[in-house]
Amino acid sequence: MPQSALAGLAGGLLFAAFVYVPALGFLLLQISVAPLLVAGLRHGLAGILPAAGVALLVTAALMPGVVLPVYAVVDLLPAVLVSALALRVVAAPGGGSPLWYPPGRILAWVSLLGLALLALFALGIPAGQGGIEAVVSGAVREAVDGLLVETSPDLREQILAGVPTYLPGTFLASWISRVALCAVLAQWWVTKRGGAVRPTPVYGSLDLPPWLVGGFLICAAGALVLGGDAGYMAVNATMGLMVPLVFMGLVLVHAAARQLPHPGIGLIGFYMLFVLGSAVAIAAVAFAGLVEFAIRRRPSPGGA
């Protein structure tokens, strides 16, 4: 269908843009999943699969063939997963009217997909090379040295010092965030254009399944007590599973901001501190998400 073809064309062009216009292209790359999700949220798998096919053809025409598997994993796979789950209807508790699949569970499944990709990455690291962290550090150094061959060694060392030690976890966290934000953007677009199949979720009621929070706590405990490759991968997994808790913490932040005389000003100030606060601010909001998760599961005074 023409709309799916256009969505695939847009998705492929946005993904490939960073090769041709690096600065602007990096920003465009952050929304490259959105056109595919627009096709999926409008037409389900019947829309997303043709769009994915066109996107692959566009990417193959504009980028080296080695990039195609990467594109399939980081854009096409989550787009198909989110589209399939978002249009799924489930039985309501107590036999009420059927409900749309909750956004918190969609986010959880995207996070689980990310963990599976992280595990495949770990399994793909050859043994006997000093561990996964050493392999990652060596690959980053080789890439920087190759791209910045004309620069001084001191400048290259400064750039390397700014690269996160836990690069797989940083990528995983940014990937989950990117997919989630593109899904919100796509839902807003199809609703605005009058083509939404499901109504826009109430994001303020975002909730997470207990198994996801349990997985986060297990990974966090492993990050504290394990060493070597197991500890390194536990830290990276924790970084990825922290993202859904951050989103849940932001729900609590927005609820608190609504109690202020000027909520908009309060939120602007918060997000400025959130961005500048880096890892500490992210960890604090994730902890707020844990608190919100616990509060929602606390038994009511009446024992209901």
Side-chain angles (χ1 to χ4, degrees):
M1 59 182 67
Q3 292 179 341
S4 294
L6 287 174
L9 175 63
L13 290 175
L14 289 171
F15 185 83
F18 76 94
V19 173
Y20 299 94
V21 281
L24 176 61
F26 178 77
L27 297 176
L28 296 177
L29 177 65
Q30 306 312 308
I31 59 170
S32 63
V33 190
L36 302 173
L37 286 169
V38 167
L41 293 176
R42 272 185 170 173
H43 306 291
L45 293 180
I48 187 68
L49 294 180
V54 172
L56 272 177
L57 292 175
V58 172
T59 307
L62 296 177
M63 304 185 74
V66 69
V67 178
L68 290 180
V70 176
Y71 180 58
V73 167
V74 301
D75 273 26
L76 302 186
L77 193 56
V80 172
L81 175 65
V82 171
S83 298
L85 292 176
L87 300 187
R88 182 181 172 190
V89 177
V90 295
S97 300
L99 302 173
W100 293 103
Y101 201 73
R105 288 190 173 271
I106 298 175
L107 181 59
W109 282 109
V110 171
S111 303
L112 190 62
L113 173 61
L115 283 189
L117 298 177
L118 184 65
L120 288 176
F121 165 78
L123 292 173
I125 299 296
Q129 295 192 17
I132 297 175
E133 185 173 3
V135 173
V136 171
S137 299
V140 171
R141 178 174 292 277
E142 183 178 342
V144 170
D145 288 343
L147 291 172
L148 304 178
V149 66
E150 301 295 332
T151 60
S152 67
D154 290 341
L155 178 58
R156 289 201 296 270
E157 289 300 323
Q158 291 178 15
I159 294 173
L160 285 168
V163 176
T165 304
Y166 299 101
L167 192 61
T170 303
F171 174 80
L172 177 59
S174 63
W175 177 78
I176 295 171
S177 303
R178 173 173 165 263
V179 173
L181 294 174
C182 281
V184 172
L185 177 61
Q187 178 65 34
W188 169 81
W189 179 259
V190 296
T191 301
K192 181 180 178 182
R193 304 288 293 183
V197 175
R198 68 172 286 170
T200 298
V202 180
Y203 298 116
S205 63
L206 180 73
D207 200 4
L208 300 173
W211 56 262
L212 180 76
V213 179
F216 166 78
L217 294 175
I218 291 171
C219 290
L224 292 175
V225 302
L226 297 176
D229 285 348
Y232 181 75
M233 295 310 297
V235 173
N236 284 282
T238 302
M239 293 171 66
L241 292 181
M242 187 183 295
V243 172
L245 288 167
V246 169
F247 279 110
M248 198 160 182
L250 292 176
V251 169
L252 190 61
V253 169
H254 279 250
R258 285 195 290 270
Q259 308 305 315
L260 299 175
H262 302 286
I265 296 176
L267 286 174
I268 290 173
F270 164 78
Y271 279 108
M272 290 178 64
L273 293 174
F274 182 69
V275 172
L276 295 176
S278 188
V280 176
I282 293 172
V285 176
F287 179 76
L290 274 176
V291 172
E292 175 71 3
F293 176 84
I295 289 173
R296 294 189 183 190
R297 275 147 187 81
R298 185 175 59 187
S300 63

